[in-house]
Amino acid sequence: MKKFLRIIGLAVFFIPFIAICQNNQPFNVAQYNVIWNTPSKNSSESMPCGGGDIGTNVWVENGDVLLYMSRSGTFDENGIMPKLGRVRLQLLPNPFANGLFKQELHLDKGYITIYGKSKDAEAEVKVWVDVFHPIIHIEVESKQAVQATATYENWRTEDYEWTNKLEFNASRAFINAPAKPIIRKDSIGFDKNNVLFYHRNRKETLFDFTVKQQGLDSIKNQLWNPLNGLTFGGSMYASNMQPKKVVNGMYAITNFSGWQLESIQKAKKFHVKIALHRNQSSSNETFKNELVDIIQKAENTKGSAEASMAWWKAYWERSHIAINTTKVDTASKAWQIGRNYNVFRYQLGCNAYGNFPTKFNGGLFTFDPSYVDSNYKATPDHRDWGGVTFTAQNQRLLYWPMLKSGDFDMMAPQLDFYLNALKNAELRTKVYWGHNGASFTEQIELFGLPAAFEYGWNRPENYPVGVEYNKWLEYVWDTALEFCLIAMDKQQFNGDDITKYIPLIESCLTFFYEHYQKESLKRTLNPFDGNGKLVLFPGSGAETYKVAYNASSTVAALQVVLSRLVQLPDNYLTAQKRTFWKSVLKRIPAIPTMQKDGHTVIAPAQAWDRRQNHELPQLYPVYPWGVYGVGKPNIQLGIDTWKYGAEVPAQKDYISWHQDAITCARLGLTEEAAEIETKKMKDSQRRFPTFWGPGHDWVPDHNWGGSGMIGLQEMLMQTDSAKIYLFPAWPKIWDVQFKLHAPFNTTVEGSLKDGKLEWMKVTPESRKADVEVLLP
C-alpha cells in the first residue's frame, strides 16, 4: 500500500538508463526440465508431451512405457472429447525393471526421454510430437538387441450407456435430459502391418439434440454444425514390426482391448509412429485416404525432428520469467513460481495450432478420473465440464497471457472459435428477439448455442425464450466481449490484421445496443433512461449478482470495447461506422459505486436481486477491463473495493479461475499479490508440478495455470496503450530475469537482483522513453 501511494504521488524511483546494458547471460529453459528418477505408480503420475495440436501423457509403470493420446477438436456425437487411445511399449529384456531410471521432460527441445538400465538391458526411449505434422514418435535406442511390442489400447470397443451419475459431467447437456447418451464404439483393427483406429460420428449428434431443445429447428439448415460427419483417429505403425494378436485387460477401473505389433526380429533401434487425423470427411473411405496422405507427406518430409526442436527453441526465445535462479532452491516457493510459469507455458504450447481452443478443464492432458476422485467410475475419456462445452470466463484465462508472452500465433483457435459460431449466435438472436447482434452466452457448445442443461430441460411455460433457465447463467451475455478486447489487443501488441474479427466485435456490441433498448421499451415508452443512457436490465454481474441493473462488469466491458473499437486505425471502420459507435459509447451508463464500511467502492450493479456464485465482478473494472489501476485515475476506488467490496470470504480465493493475484497486481498491492501468487503457482499436489486441480474444474486445471501466468506478468509489467510500467507489484526479494511483450511491437527484457535493476533492453530503443521503472 505504501509503495503504491508513492507511485500515484509521482515520487517514483526511476532507474537511470545509464545503468542499462545488454544481458550476457541468456535464459535457458532447460534449467526447469522436469526429471523423475523412479517410475510412476499410475497415469496420475504422467508427464505431458506434445506439439502442434497433439498432447500425450507419458509414464512408465511396471516396466511398461505408456502414453495417452489427445488431439484438439476431436469430439464425438455426444459432445465428449475422448482420448484417441493408449499406447503401451514393452521391451525384452526390459531396461526399466529394477534398475537405474531417469525420465526427463526437455522443455527446450519439446520431447521426453526415458532412460533405463537393468541387469539385462540398457536403453533410452524418446517420445516427441511433430509440430508440423500430426505424428507422435516413439524412438527406442538400446545397447543390446531387444524384442519390442507396441500395443494400441482402446476401451470404446462396444456401445454402452452411462450408469454413474458423475459420468454425465463429461457432457452436461444430458444432465436431467429426456434421453441418455449412447457412447458409440470405435472402428479398430489391423490394416496390413498397421493398427487402424477411428471414430465417425453418427447421423444424430449433440447439435441436433440442442437445436431441437432450443426451438431452432426452423433455421437448422442455416446453422453451422461442426459435429456432422466428424471423424477422428489414426494409424500406429513401425518398420520391423507386424501384427501379433488382440489382447484384453483392465487399466485402473476400465476394461480395454489391445492390438499388438511385435518386432519381426530383435534390434537395437525401433521407431513407432502414430499418425493422427481429424476431419469432417464425407465417408470412412475418404477419411482413410486422407490419413494415408498425411502419413506419406510426413514420411517424405526430411528434418521433421529438427524443425520441431527449432520451433520450441524459437518459442522459448520469445519470452520468459525466471525467479531466483542464481542460487537454486527447488523447495523455494518463489523458484517454483518461476519454474511452473514456464512449465505451464509448455503445456499451452502443445496446442499452438489446434482447430479448437485449449480446454480450460484439462487441456490435452487429462488422465483416468478414478485417480482424481475414486467416486468417478468412468473411462479415461472423462473430464468434468464437458468436451464441446466452452466456458468463457474460464477460457479467457488461457489466452490473455499469450499477449505478454508474445504467443500471438497461438491465439487464433480461441478467437476463431467465436468467429466460426458467429452466424449461429446471430440467428438465435433473430429467432428469439427479432433484432440484430450475436447473443453469446457464458457457457456454450462449440457450435455457439447454450449448453442444453444450462438452457434448461424443465423450463416453465412462460419463461422467456432465449434466456437460460439456470440460476447461475441467466442473463450472462457479456463474457464474449473479453475476446473482442483480446482481438484488439492482439492488433495493438503485434500489429496483426484483425479485419476478420471486426464483424464479431460489432455484432457483440450490436446485441447489447438493440436488445436493451427493446427490453426498456417493454417496461416504458423510452428506449433509454432519463439521462439518455442504456438500461442494462435484466443483466448479471458475472454469475454472482443476478437480475442486475447496470452491472459494473457489463458497463465496464461496453465502455472499454467501444472505446477501443473507435480508436482502431482507419482501415478497420468507415467514417460512418466510427461516428455511429462513438454515439453508442455515449449511451453507456457510468460504473456504479456504493458506500461500504465507510468507503466508496465499485458496486456490483446499481441494483440486483440476489447473490448466486462467489466471483468478485465489482473488481472486473480493474481486471480485465483496466479502468482503474496503476498509473490511472482514482485507483483508490479500486483498492477500497478490494479491501471492503467483497460480501463473503469465498469471493476471495486463489484456486482455479480466481483472479485475485491479478487484481492486486493491477492495484499495486505487492504483498497481497505475492502472497496469493505463491499459493496459486506453487507445485501441485500431484507428481507433475503444474497438474493443478481439480479446484472448481478438473485436472490438470488450465485456467488455474493461466490465471497464475497473468498474475505474475502483471506483477512484473503492466501496459496502458504506449505506457509501460515495470515492477508495479514486484517483491524486491524476488530476483528475476525476464522478457515480455508490450504494445506496438515492443519487447522489454532485463534482470532485477537484490532489488536493483542490473540491466534492461527495450526493443525498439525508441520505446525506452515510454518505460517507467517502479521500485520502492
Side-chain angles (χ1 to χ4, degrees):
M1 177 66 176
K2 292 179 180 177
K3 170 186 171 181
F4 182 77
L5 291 176
R6 286 200 298 273
I7 293 171
I8 61 173
L10 297 181
V12 179
F13 180 56
F14 290 87
I15 303 296
F17 282 105
I18 191 170
I20 296 171
C21 59
Q22 190 164 345
N23 183 24
N24 56 13
Q25 185 64 42
F27 170 74
N28 182 10
V29 75
Q31 67 188 304
Y32 292 136
N33 286 358
V34 180
I35 300 172
W36 296 337
N37 292 312
T38 59
S40 299
K41 296 176 182 178
N42 53 55
S43 62
S44 72
E45 297 187 354
S46 56
M47 185 179 279
C49 180
D53 65 351
I54 293 170
T56 65
N57 297 60
V58 181
W59 76 104
V60 176
E61 182 179 350
N62 296 326
D64 296 346
V65 178
L66 295 111
L67 62 148
Y68 277 125
M69 302 180 292
S70 295
R71 192 179 186 194
S72 170
T74 53
F75 305 114
D76 78 356
E77 49 268 270
N78 298 301
I80 300 163
M81 184 179 173
K83 294 287 187 185
L84 297 181
R86 182 175 56 232
V87 174
R88 182 186 302 266
L89 177 70
Q90 296 166 308
L91 303 177
L92 289 176
N94 192 342
F96 307 118
N98 303 318
L100 295 176
F101 180 87
K102 182 180 180 182
Q103 180 172 337
E104 181 171 3
L105 171 58
H106 301 262
L107 293 167
D108 54 332
K109 298 179 175 66
Y111 59 65
I112 285 174
T113 55
I114 306 167
Y115 170 80
K117 183 179 181 181
S118 65
K119 182 177 67 174
D120 301 314
E122 181 178 0
E124 183 174 83
V125 174
K126 177 180 173 182
V127 179
W128 62 280
V129 179
D130 191 329
V131 173
F132 304 102
H133 303 91
I135 312 286
I136 300 167
H137 295 260
I138 307 171
E139 300 181 18
V140 179
E141 288 198 20
S142 175
K143 289 289 182 67
Q144 303 84 13
V146 295
Q147 183 172 324
T149 302
T151 306
Y152 171 77
E153 299 177 354
N154 190 297
W155 42 94
R156 297 181 300 274
T157 55
E158 298 292 340
D159 292 355
Y160 69 95
E161 290 187 8
W162 286 335
T163 56
N164 186 305
K165 66 178 183 179
L166 292 175
E167 290 181 288
F168 287 82
N169 289 329
S171 184
R172 293 172 59 81
F174 292 96
I175 299 175
N176 299 332
K180 289 185 177 181
I182 298 175
I183 310 303
R184 300 295 184 181
K185 66 179 181 180
D186 291 354
S187 299
I188 314 162
F190 293 117
D191 180 28
K192 298 179 181 178
N193 284 338
N194 301 359
V195 179
L196 176 66
F197 55 94
Y198 63 93
H199 181 96
R200 182 170 177 82
N201 285 347
R202 276 54 171 184
K203 186 176 180 180
E204 294 291 321
T205 71
L206 181 67
F207 170 83
D208 305 279
F209 187 65
T210 305
V211 168
K212 183 177 181 179
Q213 181 220 28
Q214 297 174 19
L216 298 173
D217 276 324
S218 63
I219 58 166
K220 183 176 178 179
N221 63 349
Q222 300 177 55
L223 295 171
W224 174 57
N225 179 2
L227 293 179
N228 182 45
L230 183 61
T231 311
F232 48 87
S235 177
M236 183 174 77
Y237 56 99
S239 59
N240 191 28
M241 298 190 86
Q242 62 185 3
K244 181 183 179 184
K245 61 181 179 180
V246 178
V247 298
N248 297 300
M250 175 180 283
Y251 185 81
I253 61 169
T254 303
N255 293 315
F256 69 87
S257 294
W259 284 256
Q260 291 187 333
L261 299 180
E262 185 181 53
S263 53
I264 298 171
Q265 58 186 15
K266 288 185 175 182
K268 293 184 178 181
K269 291 186 178 183
F270 292 95
H271 191 165
V272 179
K273 302 175 186 178
I274 306 100
L276 302 180
H277 182 41
R278 169 209 59 229
N279 194 26
Q280 286 182 274
S281 305
S282 59
S283 67
N284 289 340
E285 288 305 311
T286 300
F287 174 83
K288 294 175 188 177
N289 291 335
E290 292 166 347
L291 180 58
V292 169
D293 290 342
I294 287 170
I295 294 172
Q296 289 178 345
K297 183 178 179 180
E299 293 295 324
N300 293 333
T301 302
K302 304 300 180 185
S304 292
E306 293 77 11
S308 294
M309 286 190 289
W311 188 90
W312 284 108
K313 182 176 184 292
Y315 186 67
W316 297 115
E317 288 174 350
R318 283 185 207 165
S319 173
H320 59 267
I321 299 176
I323 302 173
N324 292 355
T325 56
T326 303
K327 296 180 180 179
V328 174
D329 176 8
T330 59
S332 159
K333 294 297 188 291
W335 182 87
Q336 288 179 14
I337 291 168
R339 189 268 306 275
N340 294 342
Y341 173 93
N342 291 283
V343 171
F344 183 72
R345 184 166 169 250
Y346 171 81
Q347 289 173 224
L348 294 180
C350 291
N351 189 33
Y353 305 127
N355 274 20
F356 287 90
T358 299
K359 291 280 295 172
F360 74 92
N361 52 339
L364 297 171
F365 302 112
T366 56
F367 49 81
D368 297 84
S370 60
Y371 295 131
V372 176
D373 184 333
S374 60
N375 292 312
Y376 280 80
K377 311 301 181 185
T379 75
D381 298 329
H382 184 90
R383 66 177 77 212
D384 273 5
W385 300 102
V388 302
T389 306
F390 287 78
T391 306
Q393 286 199 96
N394 306 72
Q395 286 295 136
R396 65 193 175 114
L397 298 170
L398 280 64
Y399 286 87
W400 274 119
M402 294 183 187
L403 292 164
K404 286 193 172 78
S405 62
D407 299 322
F408 308 110
D409 56 334
M410 291 167 45
M411 301 176 76
Q414 181 63 75
L415 296 176
D416 290 349
F417 170 82
Y418 280 95
L419 188 62
N420 292 334
L422 176 59
K423 182 180 178 183
N424 290 11
E426 291 176 335
L427 285 168
R428 76 181 294 271
T429 301
K430 276 288 187 184
V431 169
Y432 294 142
W433 301 292
H435 63 75
N436 299 310
S439 54
F440 285 112
T441 58
E442 157 66 5
Q443 204 164 59
I444 57 178
E445 308 291 28
L446 78 161
F447 40 81
L449 301 181
F453 170 70
E454 280 71 21
Y455 191 74
W457 283 109
N458 300 303
R459 297 167 64 88
E461 184 177 347
N462 296 320
Y463 195 78
V465 295
V467 178
E468 290 167 294
Y469 185 57
N470 181 285
K471 57 186 178 182
W472 287 274
L473 296 175
E474 59 188 1
Y475 306 114
V476 183
W477 315 110
D478 60 4
T479 50
L481 291 171
E482 275 199 57
F483 299 96
C484 297
L485 182 58
I486 288 173
M488 290 187 284
D489 273 359
K490 190 169 181 278
Q491 187 277 331
Q492 188 183 74
F493 268 69
N494 201 45
D496 290 359
D497 184 356
I498 60 167
T499 301
K500 71 176 184 177
Y501 299 120
I502 297 302
L504 169 67
I505 298 167
E506 291 191 291
S507 192
C508 289
L509 292 168
T510 296
F511 172 80
F512 280 89
Y513 191 59
E514 296 195 11
H515 188 76
Y516 282 105
Q517 289 185 66
K518 194 165 186 175
E519 287 292 321
S520 182
L521 287 168
K522 289 180 183 178
R523 302 184 300 271
T524 73
L525 296 177
N526 297 311
F528 306 107
D529 68 10
N531 296 314
K533 306 292 186 180
L534 276 176
V535 178
L536 301 169
F537 174 84
S540 188
E543 297 178 21
T544 299
Y545 296 95
K546 306 306 299 180
V547 196
Y549 186 104
N550 289 353
S552 55
S553 51
T554 306
V555 170
L558 291 170
Q559 287 180 354
V560 171
V561 173
L562 281 162
S563 296
R564 289 290 300 278
L565 178 64
V566 299
Q567 292 169 15
L568 285 175
D570 291 343
N571 57 297
Y572 288 110
L573 293 175
T574 64
Q576 183 179 9
K577 279 192 172 184
R578 199 176 302 270
T579 299
F580 169 73
W581 289 119
K582 285 180 179 179
S583 72
V584 174
L585 178 58
K586 293 177 181 178
R587 296 286 190 184
I588 306 304
I591 294 172
T593 59
M594 60 188 285
Q595 292 295 308
K596 196 150 187 287
D597 299 332
H599 299 269
T600 301
V601 299
I602 305 167
Q606 280 184 242
W608 59 92
D609 178 68
R610 69 185 190 279
R611 188 183 70 249
Q612 184 64 45
N613 207 338
H614 46 266
E615 299 140 324
L616 201 52
Q618 50 267 58
L619 279 164
Y620 281 27
V622 174
Y623 180 83
W625 300 115
V627 178
Y628 308 104
V630 171
K632 298 183 178 183
N634 204 6
I635 189 172
Q636 193 62 45
L637 177 61
I639 293 173
D640 287 345
T641 305
W642 165 255
K643 288 187 172 184
Y644 310 107
E647 295 189 89
V648 294
Q651 286 182 287
K652 292 184 176 183
D653 206 340
Y654 69 91
I655 66 170
S656 291
W657 43 257
H658 287 275
Q659 59 185 49
D660 297 30
I662 310 171
T663 299
C664 289
R666 283 275 178 104
L667 295 171
L669 301 174
T670 301
E671 290 182 10
E672 292 94 326
E675 179 183 358
I676 300 165
E677 187 72 9
T678 299
K679 292 177 181 178
K680 181 177 279 286
M681 291 296 278
K682 68 182 180 181
D683 287 354
S684 76
Q685 62 184 352
R686 305 182 190 281
R687 189 175 197 187
F688 196 77
T690 56
F691 276 16
W692 296 289
H696 297 308
D697 303 306
W698 198 239
V699 181
D701 187 339
H702 277 51
N703 61 186
W704 187 315
S707 57
M709 285 184 71
I710 302 165
L712 198 64
Q713 291 173 348
E714 293 293 316
M715 291 170 67
L716 184 55
M717 185 182 82
Q718 295 177 31
T719 64
D720 181 13
S721 188
K723 202 68 185 171
I724 300 170
Y725 300 100
L726 271 186
F727 313 115
W730 194 261
K732 65 179 181 180
I733 62 172
W734 289 4
D735 294 347
V736 63
Q737 181 184 353
F738 65 93
K739 180 180 180 181
L740 292 174
H741 293 247
F744 309 113
N745 300 96
T746 303
T747 58
V748 182
E749 51 191 309
S751 176
L752 183 77
K753 188 174 182 180
D754 298 327
K756 297 179 181 179
L757 184 61
E758 287 191 312
W759 64 272
M760 181 175 72
K761 178 182 177 183
V762 181
T763 307
E765 288 191 13
S766 59
R767 291 278 275 133
K768 282 183 180 179
D770 298 315
V771 177
E772 289 188 24
V773 180
L774 311 178
L775 288 170

